[in-house]
Amino acid sequence: AGLYTRQYFARDTRYTILENSSRSHSVPIIDGEYQPDSPAARATDVKYENGIFSMNLAAAYGKGDTMRIDRSFVCKSDSVTMTDVYEFEDTHSIVERLTSRIEPKICEDGKIILGSTTVSYDPSICSCHISSEPTTSNPNKLCYMIDFKLNDGVKQFSCTIE
């Protein structure tokens, strides 16, 4: 959470704060656009069935009429697998983002280490880039962004966190 200041609660500045904006959340970036700050920007079709938690994220980007972004989580005793499936007709640039306060280290193709946790993904469908930004609430702490830029034509991304 951000530092609770006047700017944190003000409508015109709230989402300029890193911790409040989708820039620091583990959500996709579609065509270079982050999720807008709008009450309509939310997941739909949220459900839990047969051990799978799922939702459609398209409305969170104002694209509910032109695409589906189905996100699901499958939880096991020792891992969580997140999968995003995209359904759309036009070409879109897609970056899958994971965020962390722990500095990530790419240890080999398809594996990233976050402390004692490993994130596994398919490196044949994307390129991986790590960046960081100081948090607004404490400029001495960093928010790390792990961006997976999907190759053109790829419409599904999965990663497993163990």
Side-chain angles (χ1 to χ4, degrees):
L3 184 64
Y4 297 118
T5 63
R6 179 177 295 151
Q7 292 79 15
Y8 183 93
F9 293 101
R11 177 76 178 129
D12 59 332
T13 56
R14 179 173 175 78
Y15 294 100
T16 64
I17 297 171
L18 176 66
E19 293 89 338
N20 297 347
S21 75
S22 68
R23 284 187 354 259
S24 70
H25 291 84
S26 296
V27 294
I29 303 164
I30 310 293
D31 296 329
E33 300 287 327
Y34 299 102
Q35 290 180 352
D37 59 334
S38 161
R42 63 175 189 255
T44 59
D45 304 327
V46 179
K47 59 188 167 198
Y48 180 81
E49 292 178 349
N50 302 318
I52 300 172
F53 177 59
S54 63
M55 65 200 76
N56 179 1
L57 297 177
Y61 295 86
K63 298 181 183 292
D65 295 341
T66 59
M67 70 168 52
R68 282 190 65 86
I69 306 170
D70 291 316
R71 172 166 281 189
S72 64
F73 296 92
V74 176
C75 299
K76 297 183 179 174
S77 62
D78 61 347
S79 67
V80 175
T81 298
M82 181 197 79
T83 301
D84 284 349
V85 177
Y86 296 85
E87 294 178 26
F88 49 79
E89 292 185 20
D90 298 334
T91 301
H92 294 277
S93 166
I94 300 169
V95 175
E96 292 280 349
R97 173 169 282 180
L98 297 179
T99 61
S100 173
R101 294 263 179 132
I102 300 170
E103 184 175 4
K105 295 184 182 7
I106 298 175
C107 67
E108 60 185 74
D109 265 358
K111 294 205 185 294
I112 296 171
I113 303 297
L114 293 164
S116 61
T117 302
T118 301
V119 178
S120 303
Y121 66 97
D122 180 354
S124 72
I125 66 164
C126 62
S127 58
C128 180
H129 174 75
I130 296 172
S131 62
S132 64
E133 272 188 60
T135 63
T136 307
S137 58
N138 184 346
N140 295 320
K141 292 195 177 193
L142 295 174
C143 175
Y144 295 95
M145 287 78 113
I146 307 165
D147 288 343
F148 303 94
K149 167 76 172 87
L150 301 190
N151 297 341
D152 290 344
V154 172
K155 294 186 177 184
Q156 180 171 327
F157 176 82
S158 291
C159 66
T160 300
I161 302 165
E162 304 177 87

